Amino acid sequence: STNPLFRIFQDSSAGGGAGGCHINTNNRALIITAKSSTHVTSTSGLYLKATGELGIGEDDPDAKVHIKNGNILLESTDTGSAAAPEIDLFRNSASPADADYLGQLKFRGEDSAGSSNVYAKITAKIDDVTNNTEDGLIEFALRKAGSNNIGARLTSTDLKLINGTGLEVAGNI
């Protein structure tokens, strides 16, 4: 399923574990992988398709960045008081409009039949794009009886529990 443009790997058979390099220019990807003395590992360390998809631990990435069996760590060693590190999700639209989605974090898992489902998601939206009176909102959606359901919406003025979401507290509100 892979057509590498370049294949770069560590060749442990090259004496003392020295790195080796094999370049294949007949195909359409850059692959960097570990290689034992007998074979290349089946899953690449790094795979870059000619169409721009990057796989880390994934030979056939199906997103712009596809990380398999890994974690993401952003580290700042700044000793100042500024927020760091930061993740900036920027929708650079030529025609921004009210209710435009700005970004989304999805939390997926499998059900008992092995199907992939979004069990929860956090979505940022534009509430009002009017210059100098801009407003944003955050929606929290949860899986409810087999369907995604927006349970809470945090606007610039209110926290709204919607679509049958109740409020439960231990003590007084």
Side-chain angles (χ1 to χ4, degrees), residues 10-158:
Q10 177 182 346
D11 186 351
S12 63
S13 66
C21 177
H22 171 75
I23 298 175
N24 178 344
T25 59
N26 295 327
N27 299 305
R28 304 248 183 242
L30 169 66
I31 299 176
I32 301 173
T33 126
K35 180 180 185 287
S36 71
S37 60
T38 58
H39 69 284
V40 176
T41 60
S42 61
T43 302
S44 296
L46 178 69
Y47 184 99
L48 179 60
K49 284 184 174 178
T51 53
E53 290 85 1
L54 172 66
I56 301 173
E58 173 57 48
D59 282 348
D60 193 14
D62 60 5
K64 280 297 179 185
V65 178
H66 184 157
I67 300 172
K68 190 171 190 175
N69 296 326
N71 296 313
I72 296 173
L73 170 66
L74 301 176
E75 180 177 346
S76 172
T77 58
D78 182 1
T79 59
S81 63
E86 294 180 352
I87 296 175
D88 186 352
L89 304 177
F90 175 50
R91 181 174 178 165
N92 189 359
S93 173
S95 58
D98 293 355
D100 277 357
Y101 288 90
L102 298 175
Q104 196 170 74
L105 296 176
K106 292 182 181 180
F107 302 89
R108 291 190 308 152
E110 292 185 350
D111 61 21
S112 60
S115 298
S116 175
N117 290 289
V118 174
Y119 281 92
K121 64 184 176 180
I122 303 169
T123 305
K125 293 175 72 174
I126 296 173
D127 196 23
D128 179 9
V129 295
T130 307
N131 189 35
N132 293 320
T133 63
E134 302 91 338
D135 292 311
L137 64 87
I138 300 278
E139 290 179 339
F140 299 89
L142 305 163
R143 197 87 171 156
K144 181 178 182 181
S147 297
N148 288 332
N149 176 67
I150 298 170
R153 183 174 291 132
L154 179 60
T155 71
S156 60
T157 58
D158 298 300

